[in-house]
Structures are given as structure tokens and as C-alpha cells.
Amino acid sequence: MEHSIALVTGTTSGIGYAAARALAGEGWREIIVTGRSLARAREAAAQLAAETKTQVLTPLELDLDTPSSVQSALAELVKRGRPVDFLLLNAGMVGGKKRVLTEAGIEVDQAPLIGHHQLTVGLLRANLLSPSARIVIAGSEAARGDVPLFSYTDVAAFAAKHHQGDRTAAVEALVRSGPNVKYEANRAYADAKVFVVWWAAALARRLPSGMAVYAVSPGSAPDTQAARNGSWTLKWLMVPIVKLIPGMSQTPEIAARRYLQASEFGTDVSGQFLASAPKKLTGPIEVMRHPHFHDRANQEAAWQAVVSVSGVDLSYPASLTAVS
């Protein structure tokens, strides 16, 4: 890919910050740095410019929890009119002990996916992704079901029990942490990351030929703020233990490299989830083969649930899509 324009969400700290710094070092012509407020985005851009000795960082206000902020960011990008070549949907967090909903009624672990969907679809509708654009969205090994303390919901079983088998309704209930959903912080996070994988697979079927999307886990990188609101056991037990065991953690800089590696992948693996080898939290990334990631009914249910919650859908003439 020509190193032209990249947009990174969640750039003010952690892995997003490290990714923006790496992109600047690789010679990208422009990196759009986003933050919940314009002041934070400007501060991050200035710091990155000083560290990289470049003038390629552009600040952009983007609060993924707030639909009006996403729309304002899109309006600013439309005004600029320059297509994005690499869209890195990095922002995310682990929820706390108590259930928290955004003003839009979305469980906080799930909110980044809704905002990222609104952003991505908005860019596609405005023709602001280049013909060979690469989209990477942050996944997590926690979605696999083989990470201690994390497990995911069996959506088909949940749908059968509470939603007459309607998996779209089941996913939407989990996104909203609605009736019949017992909130558990680590499960909510794992569910959110499973839905990210399903969403990426569904999006891949809807993208114009030439574009590609991948869900990519950055791997275990405890030295970020992602778990700042996490449970006691996560922050004070699991994270310290992980940091002590060789091969169980890595720096944000190494984690960010996974994103950049994926930006160079071809369309043949579009829609796939790439992460550490099974039962690993670091090391080389590979395509995850776990059956629950490849259930097309669940993938489409996740897409339709996100559409319902976000109020935004994507459609193209069949002649423009890679798979109609």
C-alpha cells in the first residue's frame, strides 16, 4: 500500500499512540490522530510530532460513545475530501465491576464497535476510503474462550432461551446489556470482542472489491489504560501476574506492530480474525480457526444488531461488492 493517509482511533495513549508513532516513522504522509476532545487530540499530535520529528499528525475530535461526535468527525473528513488508505479502529476498553451504559443506552464495552461502525460506514458512503483501503479493528484473545477469567456468551443458546431463536435480537440485548443479561465485566468484554470478529467478517462481504478488513488482536499489553475500569481481579491479580510471566505480555510498541503488519495483508484473508496462537497472549499472529468465529448466522446477526443499534446500514449496487 502507498503510505498516504491513515486514521487511528484511540490515539491519545497506549497502543493507538504507539501505532501512530510507528506510522509516522514509516513515512506515512498524514496520520489523523483522534481523541475524545480536540484538546486531547491536539496534545497527542503535538507530542507525537516532537517524538517523531515530523509534521504529519492531524488532530481530530472523535468520541465514539457519542453519535453526534462521530457525525461531526465525518463532516470534517468530508470537508477535507482526502480518502483514507488505512483505517485503524483501535479504541476500546474493559468495563468495570458495575454495569455502565452510554447516553445512547449501549454497554460501555460494546460502544466502541457501534461508534466504529458509524465511522466506517460513513467513510464508505462518502467515498472516503481509497479503492485498496485496509481496515483493522482491535480484537482480543479474550474472545477465544481459552484465556483465564474470560468467557463468552453462547448467542444461539441465549437466543433460543430468551428471544425465540432470534440471534439478532439476542446480540442487540447483549450490546445494550438489556433484560435477561446478567452483567459480568469480563464476559461483557469477551462478548464485545466476539462481536467485533463477527462484524468484521460481515463487513468483508459488503466491501467493494479491492478493500479488506481484519479483526486483529494487539495481544497482551498491560502497560496501557485499557483496563483502567476493569475488575479488581483483572487489575490487581491477573495483570500483575501476566507481567511477571515471560511470554505473557509485551510493550504497546510491539502490540502496535501487529496492526501495521495487518495493514499489508491481501484481500484473501479479509474478514478473518488474527491473534496469538491458541492459548497464547503474545507472539506471531495467525488466523483463528475456532468454530464460533466462523458461524455465518452469528456474523450476520451481529451485523444486523449493530445496524439496529447504530441506525446506520451499508448498501452498494451488487456490481460494486466483492460478495453480493
Side-chain angles (χ1 to χ4, degrees):
M1 186 193 304
E2 228 181 275
H3 289 180
S4 188
I5 300 177
L7 188 157
V8 183
T9 69
T11 332
T12 56
S13 65
I15 299 171
Y17 186 91
R21 184 168 52 201
L23 289 165
E26 289 194 354
W28 282 73
R29 183 163 59 86
E30 182 181 17
I31 301 116
I32 300 170
V33 174
T34 71
R36 288 178 178 267
S37 70
L38 186 56
R40 291 183 66 186
R42 283 174 172 166
E43 181 182 354
Q47 189 170 342
L48 284 163
E51 290 178 7
T52 61
K53 296 180 173 54
T54 65
Q55 297 299 319
V56 297
L57 291 308
T58 301
L60 177 69
E61 181 174 343
L62 174 64
D63 182 352
L64 292 165
D65 291 355
T66 308
S68 60
S69 177
V70 178
Q71 291 306 311
S72 294
L74 284 166
E76 180 62 28
L77 293 167
V78 168
K79 188 189 305 181
R80 290 156 41 90
R82 296 194 289 276
V84 171
D85 301 285
F86 179 32
L87 178 60
L88 176 48
L89 307 174
N90 160 75
M93 63 178 291
V94 181
K97 183 178 180 180
K98 294 183 179 179
R99 184 194 326 249
V100 176
L101 302 180
T102 68
E103 290 184 9
I106 302 165
E107 197 278 318
V108 291
D109 291 271
Q110 304 283 354
L113 174 57
I114 303 305
H116 281 145
H117 173 85
Q118 292 167 330
L119 175 66
T120 303
V121 171
L123 290 171
L124 285 162
R125 283 178 166 180
N127 200 28
L128 284 175
L129 289 179
S130 67
S132 60
R134 295 295 182 261
I135 304 166
V136 170
I137 186 166
S140 171
E141 281 84 2
R144 295 188 312 218
D146 60 8
V147 175
L149 302 181
F150 289 90
S151 60
Y152 58 87
T153 299
D154 183 333
V155 167
F158 181 75
K161 184 175 181 180
H162 298 293
H163 296 279
Q164 295 78 50
D166 185 338
R167 297 190 195 187
T168 297
V171 173
E172 182 167 349
L174 291 163
V175 168
R176 296 187 182 280
S177 201
N180 302 311
V181 176
K182 180 182 178 182
Y183 178 77
E184 297 174 14
N186 292 358
R187 180 181 289 270
Y189 179 75
D191 285 347
K193 292 305 184 180
V194 170
F195 299 162
V196 160
V197 174
W198 291 345
W199 175 86
L203 175 60
R205 291 192 283 271
R206 291 164 168 82
L207 285 177
S209 178
M211 294 186 193
V213 58
Y214 324 99
V216 178
S217 172
S220 173
D223 291 328
T224 71
Q225 297 183 35
R228 62 189 179 276
N229 297 317
S231 65
W232 181 92
T233 52
L234 179 64
K235 287 193 294 185
W236 305 113
L237 180 62
M238 186 173 178
V239 167
I241 290 174
V242 162
K243 292 173 74 171
L244 289 173
I245 302 174
M248 291 287 283
S249 65
Q250 59 194 359
T251 66
E253 288 72 25
I254 293 174
R257 283 286 164 191
R258 291 182 170 203
Y259 292 152
L260 273 63
Q261 179 185 353
S263 75
E264 303 291 342
F265 290 163
T267 56
D268 56 319
V269 290
S270 184
Q272 299 297 312
F273 174 36
L274 298 110
S276 310
K279 299 184 179 181
K280 301 290 185 182
L281 297 176
T282 60
I285 54 175
E286 60 184 66
V287 172
M288 296 292 97
R289 305 293 182 186
H290 304 67
H292 70 284
F293 292 136
H294 298 275
D295 186 316
R296 184 159 178 158
N298 282 340
Q299 293 167 357
E300 289 301 316
W303 178 268
Q304 295 304 331
V306 169
V307 166
S308 176
V309 173
S310 68
V312 178
D313 200 356
L314 175 65
S315 60
Y316 287 111
S319 61
L320 294 181
T321 56
V323 180
S324 60

